Amino acid sequence: MAIQSVIGAIVWNDLGLNPVALDLGFFQLRWYSLAYLAGIFLAYWYLLKLIKQPGAPMARRHVDDLVFYGALGVILGGRIGYVLFYNLSYYLQHPLDIFKLWDGGMSFHGGMIGTVLGILYLSRKEKLQWLRVHDYVACCVPFGLFFGRLANFVNHELWGAPTDVSWAVRFPEMVAGVTVDGPPRHPSQLYEAGLEGIVLFLILWVMFWKTKSRYEPGKLVGAFTFFYGLFRFLVEFVREPDAQLTGFAQATGLHMGQWLSLPMIILGAWLMWTAKGRRERVEPIAGSESVA
């Protein structure tokens, strides 16, 4: 389908995208849901590859449990985080809307907290080294971030600020009760898909497979936390804040996403800086229940 160019911008409606992947009338399957499923499936597949390497901190049976707790943490934490951090006043007035996950509204920072809690619980239960488990899980998260940001683009949500760059996109916007093509905007969802998904995955891939980072507890999860926080902080400069948080951004000078990313940048830098001091001998044996 030809892409119409208006003021040098791509019109989202001309891309032929539909947030609904399958519509059976009584049931709708959205790309947003499929993005979560794809992210979880690929993370599981990749984690199985990682633990086959010598010195893995967990066995296959731990991974199976970890996927369950991690997925639960992402969904519950992501939703609760969005409610608390981004739109609490609305959900206090419409509490049942909290359960409408298909309408979108997930917080990465909340999902991260939920995942951390899930890992801590499993590690305590199975007597695993929780920080090294975090290292391995961190290498798998970019899959979900990549597909999640693509789903944001398909949903024409979380768009960027107005711009005159040649690759700008005009998203459908509601004006006075009528849907119109909005002004040219940064496709910030695609920026984040590239940075948080592809670039972050490559950084962690090199660190895991080409260095000894996996033997320095906290280094990989530190790198993930630092670079995600940095990428998110930078992209927020060309991203439109949530409508209900525009006043907050104007009053504080930063978006909510940037405030939430600052602690990640600091924590990630500290974890990487101190990782070498936590290094310990790990027996090069794969396949046992826990070899760390």
Side-chain angles (χ1 to χ4, degrees):
M1 179 177 293
I3 298 175
Q4 180 183 356
S5 181
V6 179
I7 320 178
I10 298 168
V11 178
W12 184 93
N13 278 321
D14 290 345
L15 294 175
L17 301 175
N18 189 336
V20 179
L22 178 65
D23 190 349
L24 300 177
F26 63 91
F27 171 78
Q28 286 187 339
L29 180 61
R30 293 177 173 265
W31 288 110
Y32 196 78
S33 301
L34 289 176
Y36 271 85
L37 293 176
I40 292 170
F41 174 80
L42 286 175
Y44 176 68
W45 166 80
Y46 189 54
L47 187 54
L48 290 179
K49 291 180 66 70
L50 298 183
I51 66 167
K52 289 180 181 179
Q53 303 309 304
M58 54 187 153
R60 168 65 183 264
R61 69 180 184 87
H62 298 133
V63 173
D64 294 339
D65 290 342
L66 187 59
V67 169
F68 170 75
Y69 290 118
L72 194 63
V74 166
I75 296 172
L76 293 181
R79 188 58 170 174
I80 294 172
Y82 180 80
V83 170
L84 295 178
F85 300 148
Y86 289 93
N87 214 353
L88 180 59
S89 59
Y90 171 83
Y91 288 107
L92 286 177
Q93 299 176 27
H94 307 87
L96 293 180
D97 285 359
I98 294 175
F99 302 101
K100 295 182 179 179
L101 300 180
W102 53 87
D103 287 338
M106 300 287 281
S107 163
F108 168 80
H109 299 90
M112 183 186 70
I113 293 172
T115 302
V116 167
L117 293 176
I119 293 174
L120 288 174
Y121 172 77
L122 179 66
S123 299
R124 181 183 179 89
K125 177 173 174 283
E126 299 292 339
K127 297 181 172 56
L128 304 175
Q129 291 189 327
W130 64 272
L131 195 51
R132 294 197 68 230
V133 174
H134 274 87
D135 282 335
Y136 278 62
V137 172
C139 293
C140 306
V141 176
F143 289 112
L145 292 174
F146 176 74
F147 287 113
R149 292 309 181 191
L150 291 183
N152 290 148
F153 184 79
V154 173
N155 277 0
H156 54 84
E157 62 186 359
L158 305 182
W159 51 54
T163 181
D164 58 0
V165 298
S166 60
W167 58 86
V169 178
R170 301 184 70 194
F171 295 98
E173 301 183 28
M174 188 69 69
V175 178
V178 179
T179 301
V180 300
D181 293 328
R185 295 181 178 276
H186 282 286
S188 55
Q189 313 97 321
L190 302 184
Y191 300 167
E192 291 188 82
L195 290 172
E196 301 167 7
I198 298 173
V199 175
L200 186 52
F201 174 81
L202 291 176
I203 291 173
L204 295 171
W205 185 91
V206 170
M207 292 180 68
F208 184 93
W209 295 100
K210 301 299 182 180
T211 74
K212 299 297 183 182
S213 294
R214 66 179 183 269
Y215 297 127
E216 298 176 15
K219 194 165 190 177
L220 289 167
V221 69
F224 170 85
T225 305
F226 174 81
F227 284 108
Y228 174 87
L230 180 63
F231 293 154
R232 177 70 181 271
F233 187 88
L234 294 175
V235 172
E236 288 282 344
F237 282 115
V238 295
R239 180 171 157 180
E240 193 80 355
D242 290 34
Q244 70 275 11
L245 292 176
T246 301
F248 174 86
Q250 293 173 345
T252 65
L254 294 175
H255 296 182
M256 176 63 78
Q258 291 175 306
W259 285 111
L260 294 173
S261 294
L262 282 174
M264 294 184 67
I265 295 172
I266 297 170
L267 175 61
W270 179 80
L271 283 171
M272 287 191 292
W273 180 263
T274 57
K276 193 171 183 179
R278 290 187 292 271
R279 177 165 181 162
E280 56 189 67
R281 183 171 183 270
V282 178
E283 295 296 335
I285 302 172
S288 59
E289 289 190 357
S290 179
V291 299

